[in-house]
Amino acid sequence: MNLYQNFLAYFLHCSSCFLHWSKRNWETPVFTVLALAPLFHSAFAGGLGGQITSVFIICIAALGLNVMVGFTGLLHLGIASFFGLGGLFLAILTVPMNPLEIGFLAAVLVSVGITAMIGTLLGSPTLRLRGDYLAIVTLGFGEVVRVLFLNLENVTGGTQGLGPVPPPGFGVFITGIDLGREFVVDSRWFYYLSLIMLFFAVMFVRILEKSSLGRAWIAVREEPLAAATIGISVAKVRLSAFTIAAAIAGLAGCLSVASIGTTGDPNAFGFNRSVAILCAVIIGGLGSVPGTLVGVTILFGFDIVVIPLVDAWMQRLQSQVFEINLFALGSWRLALVGIALIVVMRFRPVGLIPSRRFAAELQEAQQ
Amino acid sequence: MDVASFLQQCGIGITSGVFLGLMAVGYTLVYGTVGLIHFAHGDVVMLGGCLALAILSFLVPLPVAPVTGCLAVILAALCSGLFCGCLNVCIDRFVYRPLRDAPPLSPLVSAIGVSFVLMNVGLVWIGPTDRAFPEIFLASTRSVGGISFLMADLLVLAISVPPLLCLYILLRQTRFGRSLRSIAAITRATARSGEAGKLIGTTFFISGFLGGVASVAAGIHATTINYQMGHQMGLYALTAAVLGGIGSVPGAIVGGLVVGLLRAISVAVLGPRWAMASVFLVLIVFLAFRPQGIYGKSKTRAGQR
């Protein structure tokens, strides 16, 4: 694997691509708009900024899942458990009640490392499994992690979660401004932090996709036997996908816990969250980075940003205009998401923005 | 734990294992014919439970004589079986069939979508809290040789075992069963022909029917139902199907019994909050050593991927 030697070269190459405007380059406009948006609207400093931050964070986790499901073709139904593990380790390393209390950056690095290791440990005995069996094992792992979170109260805090997690830059003063306090007061700090991390995650996944490792992933996905005959170690390549997916999801978990300030209810890391992220990746388009981001934005943007807005609006309308109890959108949100999933899959079975390879295959099949 | 209480836990485990097996057969039949994990199955079963609850609260408003109660339960099981069967056929017809030649993960997402919709319907139907299932025997027990067991559990066995026997006869003795067993060999392309389409429809009906019966059994066993029970039981039943070797009907039943026993024993030894984790841990360890499940066919090395 000459990935590691070429990594810097790829990064430079991609950065130069990034600076040059081209039709294929969607990142420049998207990230520019996202970076400039808070300057023009004050709502980003409050609740809306926090909601969009959590969408960014889920985007990062979904990119990790995309490495596994989209590039390598391994069905993973427990990604949220790695998200939760990353956050838990960050909390263990930083909360004041534990003796460690190391700095934010070090804690993130350590917890991402541990999460990646756990991913590798889960991956190594299960490489022999065929597709759907692997899916069930990852599902089971996710549930085991959730139950451990709930039951090991003295380590994880049980249903209460572990907290308070100090914000990044806690205790750091720059020209008299307490950075930690700024992070708590103004949600734009976390907005930018997660936007930058999302940008790096997108870059990282793109670089990987173009590297020899990424091509090996796709070869293994298409036909493991053929990949093995040209000298690709199928087991190693799959294991690397496991590790990288776990690491990226762990990073997302760290950001989430840091922005909320506590690990929260472990049930949020269960099967439902994993499945929702998987659905976002698939309706966006498997193996497609912009597709993943679009899928998460639609699915989680609807759930996190739109539903509260619409509900608040409905309530205002109800109290002002009607006496009768209006049909509350919130109680049907699950069904709305479900119908959206069914409809998208019915009319765009390869996803909203399919990767070029899948799109080409579909055209071939239709001709 | 002494022998008597161990045997008692085994009794509970076998009872829950039988209806988990019924559900697992649903997963396995669908997987065997269309190669899809029917994620909405648990929620179909949950809706069957809701219907049974409605029927039973209509028929048995007050404590009644056990015989009448049993008849009402059997009627409810039949109704909810028919309802779940038809629901499953509709899901197949309108959601899965248009996706027969889509990429393999697309029907999975549709299945998850259906599951969300059904769960929401259940939430609106019976509300967010646990609903008590009408108790026919009011926790009366019989004791044989020091092992006491609930009469309700006997009722569970009485309504779950006959459908399993019928299924066995159907699969072994009839032309339909032979075609069903051979359809696993049919490729995705031929699954679109008319004959195969009918067969797939029938499979979905049978799996739904068994699920409906299982929902009544589960309601009696647990004495409550809620809108998330389909999700919970679905995970256990899916585990059972995978443990037995997904696609194999005897495997699903054996898997159901194993999962039921494991759950009952871990509830007794470790406490209820560890039940799910221990079942899944056993599954992971077992699959690491025997990747194709108990009854699954071992693939050749080249195909093992």
Side-chain angles (χ1 to χ4, degrees), chain B residues 178-271:
Chain B
R178 279 198 299 280
S179 354
L180 196 65
R181 279 184 287 136
S182 66
I183 201 177
I186 298 177
T187 56
R188 291 160 70 87
T190 52
R192 305 181 65 177
S193 72
E195 190 62 29
K198 256 186 257 167
L199 209 58
I200 290 171
T202 322
T203 315
F204 269 94
F205 182 81
I206 294 173
S207 98
F209 186 87
L210 297 177
V213 175
S215 75
V216 179
I220 296 170
H221 184 73
T223 70
T224 58
I225 63 170
N226 60 32
Y227 79 100
Q228 285 178 322
M229 101 180 178
H231 171 205
Q232 277 268 326
M233 277 178 56
L235 286 187
Y236 280 122
L238 191 55
T239 313
V242 171
L243 201 61
I246 194 155
S248 143
V249 173
I253 296 166
V254 172
L257 289 174
V258 170
V259 168
L261 279 172
L262 265 176
R263 186 171 68 159
I265 290 170
S266 56
V267 164
V269 178
L270 300 168

Side-chain angles (χ1 to χ4, degrees), chain A residues 55-56 59 280 290-303 305-306:
Chain A
V55 175
F56 288 161
C59 278
T292 303
L293 302 188
V294 167
V296 174
T297 310
I298 291 176
L299 213 61
F300 285 87
F302 174 75
D303 205 43
V305 183
V306 177

Side-chain angles (χ1 to χ4, degrees), chain B residues 33 66 206 284:
Chain B
T33 49
I206 294 173
I284 293 174

Side-chain angles (χ1 to χ4, degrees), chain B residues 91-301:
Chain B
I91 293 171
D92 174 50
R93 175 66 192 81
F94 294 109
V95 182
Y96 296 154
R97 196 188 285 179
L99 294 177
R100 287 273 195 266
D101 44 15
L105 285 183
S106 305
L108 187 76
V109 173
S110 292
I112 293 164
V114 173
S115 152
F116 283 173
V117 173
L118 296 182
M119 203 192 268
N120 209 153
V121 170
L123 171 67
V124 174
W125 189 351
I126 61 169
T129 50
D130 279 5
R131 294 282 299 271
F133 213 74
E135 285 187 59
I136 310 296
F137 294 111
L138 292 171
S140 69
T141 55
R142 289 281 184 283
S143 130
V144 175
I147 309 156
S148 61
F149 49 88
L150 285 166
M151 285 302 284
D153 281 353
L154 279 189
L155 185 60
V156 168
L157 288 179
I159 62 169
S160 327
V161 173
L164 282 180
L165 293 177
C166 291
L167 180 74
Y168 179 80
I169 294 167
L170 190 71
L171 289 182
R172 286 282 145 193
Q173 309 289 332
T174 64
R175 185 166 171 275
F176 166 75
R178 279 198 299 280
S179 354
L180 196 65
R181 279 184 287 136
S182 66
I183 201 177
I186 298 177
T187 56
R188 291 160 70 87
T190 52
R192 305 181 65 177
S193 72
E195 190 62 29
K198 256 186 257 167
L199 209 58
I200 290 171
T202 322
T203 315
F204 269 94
F205 182 81
I206 294 173
S207 98
F209 186 87
L210 297 177
V213 175
S215 75
V216 179
I220 296 170
H221 184 73
T223 70
T224 58
I225 63 170
N226 60 32
Y227 79 100
Q228 285 178 322
M229 101 180 178
H231 171 205
Q232 277 268 326
M233 277 178 56
L235 286 187
Y236 280 122
L238 191 55
T239 313
V242 171
L243 201 61
I246 194 155
S248 143
V249 173
I253 296 166
V254 172
L257 289 174
V258 170
V259 168
L261 279 172
L262 265 176
R263 186 171 68 159
I265 290 170
S266 56
V267 164
V269 178
L270 300 168
R273 55 188 204 162
W274 291 104
M276 189 166 241
S278 45
V279 169
F280 276 118
L281 266 183
V282 169
L283 174 82
I284 293 174
V285 172
F286 182 82
L287 284 185
F289 288 104
R290 197 176 157 79
Q292 70 273 31
I294 301 173
Y295 280 78
K297 286 176 192 68
S298 174
K299 288 231 164 182
T300 56
R301 186 162 167 70

Side-chain angles (χ1 to χ4, degrees), chain A residues 128 132 151 238 331 335 349, chain B residues 31 99 106 120 246 273 288 305:
Chain A
R128 292 165 67 206
D132 295 310
N151 292 348
R238 284 189 170 158
S331 71
Chain B
Y31 188 89
L99 294 177
S106 305
N120 209 153
I246 194 155
R273 55 188 204 162
R305 304 193 169 180

Side-chain angles (χ1 to χ4, degrees), chain A residues 69 75 77 122 125-130 132-133 135-137 139-141 143-144 146-148 150-153 222-225 234 238 271-272 275-276 278-279 282-283 286 330-339 341-342 345-351 358 362, chain B residues 31 35 37 39 94-95 98-99 102-103 105-110 112-117 119-121 123-124 227-228 231-232 235 238-239 241-243 245-246 273-278 280-281 283-284 287-293 296-297 299 302-305:
Chain A
V69 187
L75 187 51
L77 291 175
L122 172 68
T126 51
L127 288 171
R128 292 165 67 206
L129 298 177
R130 282 183 291 139
D132 295 310
Y133 288 88
I136 302 303
V137 165
L139 189 166
F141 176 78
E143 288 302 300
V144 170
R146 186 180 64 90
V147 173
L148 285 178
L150 280 173
N151 292 348
L152 299 175
E153 275 127 356
E222 295 294 320
E223 185 50 66
L225 190 60
V234 176
R238 284 189 170 158
F271 178 59
N272 286 342
V275 155
L278 179 70
C279 287
I282 296 176
I283 68 165
L286 272 178
S331 71
W332 285 96
R333 65 168 22 167
L334 209 54
L336 287 175
V337 173
I339 290 169
L341 292 180
I342 296 168
M345 282 299 114
R346 174 72 185 79
F347 295 104
R348 293 207 62 130
V350 282
F358 275 127
L362 191 74
Chain B
Y31 188 89
I37 297 181
F39 258 110
F94 294 109
V95 182
L99 294 177
L105 285 183
S106 305
L108 187 76
V109 173
S110 292
I112 293 164
V114 173
S115 152
F116 283 173
V117 173
M119 203 192 268
N120 209 153
V121 170
L123 171 67
V124 174
Y227 79 100
Q228 285 178 322
H231 171 205
Q232 277 268 326
L235 286 187
L238 191 55
T239 313
V242 171
L243 201 61
I246 194 155
R273 55 188 204 162
W274 291 104
M276 189 166 241
S278 45
F280 276 118
L281 266 183
L283 174 82
I284 293 174
L287 284 185
F289 288 104
R290 197 176 157 79
Q292 70 273 31
K297 286 176 192 68
K299 288 231 164 182
Q304 209 171 49
R305 304 193 169 180

